[in-house]
Structures are given as structure tokens and as C-alpha cells.
Amino acid sequence: MKTAFIGLGVMGFPMAGHLQAAGHAVTVFNRSPDKAARWVERHGGASRPTIAEAVTGAQLVCLCVGNDDDVRDVVAQALPAMGEGGVIVDHTTTSATVAREMDAAARAVGRWFVDAPVSGGQAGAENGQLTIMAGGDPAAYARVEPVLAAYAKAIRLLGPSGAGQLTKMCNQIAIAGVVQGVAEALHFAKRAGLPTDDVLAAISKGAAQSWQMENRWKTMSEGKFDFGFAVDWMRKDLGIALAEAAVNGANLQATALIDGFYGEVQGMGGHRWDTSSLVARLETPKS
């Protein structure tokens, strides 16, 4: 399948590499040409100086960009140039509204759009172990699912256009609550004078077990917050979820509170710290 990949950030760069390694003819575009050149040097394939040139004739166009407006811009440039009947797969975390808009725009010109946000972070992208949550037409999804398996350990179609983005919102809501819980448990253990490694060994084998506890407890305890998904990105994602909740009536009291806590972390200079840095605001004396 002739494939284009737009957006070579910390996620897109390795994802596009897995596609090339799987035998697909991949052409890439990135706003910073130097990064596209580095990708070609490492993985082969080709790069082009414009989106339209990168997607010309492509049957699959994957994108992993920044926000709703970035997706609108890329899709507007891609639709006229890509192959007839081709599929756009958007791995960006966006609103469900923009996913539905892009789906309608694609259908209007004989193309397809699948919203397919991912979970697993930079490590998941590099290791080809992402989880993909998809929304869109079942036939279009069936065409691209085997291709996306190049960088995914799990892929699921959740429903029509927008369902993938709504599911990603559920994912981020759940993560925020778990990280805050782990942060408070660690903070409490320290204040109680307990040996934190022993506490982890005791509680991580029972009902309190979680990926965040097993993988971030020790680094949180050591004040290390350079493990991937940044606070700025999490606030963007939680903002999307809170905006959707304002429309559908969901009660996200804890999520709104934790979003505010991440705002405090940003105020501490932690914009690029990873999401486990919630513990930092607990450990910092309040003035």
C-alpha cells in the first residue's frame, strides 16, 4: 500500500519507521525538513517538501500532528492529492467534533477518514506496542487495520467517526486519576516514615496494582520526570475531555480537579515534565 506519513514528532517518527520496516512504500512530510531528512537517512523511504506532494497517489495517509486546527489544515491539503478511495488515519488526539468534520469532508470527495488516537507513549511508539482506538467506517477500518499492526499491540474499532477520540478521552481521564492516586500514596508513605520501596513491593501485588505504580513509583520517589508524555500534552487532552463533558453532561469532578493540579505543575516550570510529576506539587512546600 502506497503510504504517506505526516508529522514526525516523538510518536510519528518511530511509527512511520515501523511502516517502512514492514515493507510499505512510505513518503513522509514534516514541517521541519531536517527531521524528515533524518527519518529518510535512518529508515529509507522518501520525503517531500509539501503535504500535497507527499500524499500524491497514496492509498493510506497517516498523520500525527498537534491539535484540531493542524488536522484540518493537513486534511484540506491531502484530500485533493491522495489516491481515489484512499483512507486518512489520524493518530492525533483531537476533539470528536473535528473527527466527524474530517470524516464528512473525506466522504464528500470519495475518500475515507478514520480517527485513531493512540496510547502507549513514546516507548510504545518506538517498540511498536501502541494501543489504537479507532472510529469510522468499518470497511475503511478493515483495509487499514493490518497496516497499522506494524506499530500496535492492540487495535479496536469502537464505533462511527469520533468514537476513537471519545475512547481516548476515557483513557486520559482514567490515567489522570491513577497518577494522582499513586502520587498521594507515595507522598503519604514518605510523611509516615515508611520505606517506600517496601511499600511498593507490598501494595503493587494487590488491588492497588497499576502500570503507573509499577513503572513510575520509584522515579516519582526520586524526583525524575523525564519519561515521555508531557504535562502540556496532558492538559491539552484533559481540556478536550472536559469540553466534551460540558456537552454530553458527564460529571468529571476529579478530572477537573487534577487538570488544575497539572496547571500548578506548569506554574512550577514543569511544562515538559512527564505526567507523574503530580507528586512534585505535593512535595513542594506551599507558601
Side-chain angles (χ1 to χ4, degrees):
M1 185 176 287
K2 187 175 182 181
T3 303
F5 204 106
I6 311 300
L8 301 175
V10 295
M11 302 292 287
F13 195 102
M15 292 163 72
H18 286 299
L19 289 176
Q20 182 71 15
H24 303 287
V26 181
T27 301
V28 299
F29 169 84
N30 193 72
R31 284 182 296 188
S32 303
D34 290 350
K35 188 171 288 186
R38 289 199 302 273
W39 186 89
V40 172
E41 182 179 0
R42 181 177 300 183
H43 296 292
S47 69
R48 295 291 182 267
T50 69
I51 291 170
E53 291 174 88
V55 308
T56 296
Q59 287 299 303
L60 171 61
V61 177
C62 295
L63 44 144
C64 192
V65 290
N67 55 39
D68 285 24
D69 287 341
D70 293 329
V71 171
R72 290 186 177 101
D73 181 55
V74 171
V75 171
Q77 296 181 62
L79 284 177
M82 64 187 292
E84 184 176 351
V87 184
I88 295 176
V89 174
D90 180 24
H91 293 306
T92 314
T93 297
T94 70
S95 67
T97 299
V98 81
R100 297 181 188 116
E101 289 176 7
M102 297 304 97
D103 178 65
R107 289 172 185 264
V109 293
R111 277 72 168 167
W112 302 97
F113 182 92
V114 174
D115 54 292
V118 302
S119 180
Q122 183 176 349
E126 291 173 349
N127 296 321
Q129 293 291 298
L130 293 170
T131 295
I132 300 178
M133 300 150 269
D137 178 81
Y141 168 80
R143 285 175 56 197
V144 301
E145 181 186 28
V147 182
L148 304 184
Y151 43 75
K153 65 178 180 180
I155 314 171
R156 184 178 292 270
L157 180 66
L158 280 307
S161 179
Q165 296 297 349
L166 292 170
T167 303
K168 179 62 181 287
M169 295 174 209
C170 296
N171 186 79
Q172 302 305 75
I173 291 165
I175 288 173
V178 171
V179 175
Q180 179 65 17
V182 172
E184 291 187 10
L186 175 59
H187 175 65
F188 182 90
K190 287 183 174 181
R191 286 301 181 96
L194 295 170
T196 57
D197 286 355
D198 291 344
V199 173
L200 172 64
I203 70 176
S204 65
K205 302 300 184 287
Q209 189 277 335
S210 70
W211 186 97
Q212 297 292 340
M213 178 174 287
E214 298 233 343
N215 289 274
R216 292 291 176 262
W217 177 281
K218 286 184 67 65
T219 55
M220 290 165 76
S221 181
E222 295 165 357
K224 297 177 180 177
F225 308 121
D226 55 351
F227 295 93
F229 197 69
V231 167
D232 282 352
W233 301 340
M234 186 60 154
R235 288 215 76 195
K236 184 205 84 169
D237 291 1
L238 294 180
I240 291 170
L242 291 167
E244 184 68 30
V247 175
N248 69 21
N251 187 340
L252 302 185
Q253 291 178 320
T255 302
L257 186 65
I258 296 166
D259 178 59
F261 292 162
Y262 277 123
E264 293 182 32
V265 174
Q266 288 175 320
M268 296 167 60
H271 293 268
R272 306 300 294 180
W273 294 349
D274 72 64
T275 52
S276 70
S277 58
L278 280 174
V279 74
R281 61 173 291 279
L282 300 175
E283 299 294 320
T284 302
K286 300 295 187 290
S287 58

